[in-house]
Amino acid sequence: MALSITETCINCAACEPECPNQAIYEPGMEWSMAEGTSLEGTVTLMNGEEVDADEMQEPLSDDFYFIVPDKCTECKGFHDEEQCLAFCPVPECIIVHPEHDETEDALLERQTFLHEA
Ligand code: SF4
Ligand code: SF4
């Protein structure tokens, strides 16, 4: 399951440096699939979508820190627990993304996709 940051976020920035996939960005910041991963050039995401990994994308939130679902592996392959959850000081601020309920196998597959391309 990819995780998602809710509007209870206080923009403290504690989570951002802890993500092993660089899936967390500050409000209003452009992001790319290539940052923090080994992806480059045209890649096909696990949902079949073709994207330019190096292209900068529009921020997912201008108000709160946000998590890019296609880069979140729930920390599988790196840590035993989700680092953003572990470091966030606000209870229940970070939740399971309602549209990204994924199996452990799918998350491990994403981790391989992101870092061993
Ligand atoms: S669960 Fe892990 S991979 Fe996903 S956003 Fe949080 S720190 Fe990053
Ligand atoms: S640690 Fe929690 S409150 Fe702080 S920026 Fe991240 S999601 Fe927001």
Side-chain angles (χ1 to χ4, degrees), residues 4-6 8-16 24-25 27 64-67 83-85 87-90 93-94:
S4 180
I5 295 173
T6 67
T8 59
C9 172
I10 58 171
N11 292 327
C12 73
C15 57
E16 189 268 337
I24 304 173
Y25 289 84
F64 308 106
Y65 274 70
F66 62 88
I67 294 171
Q83 295 301 285
C84 53
L85 277 178
F87 281 84
C88 181
V90 182
C93 172
I94 302 175

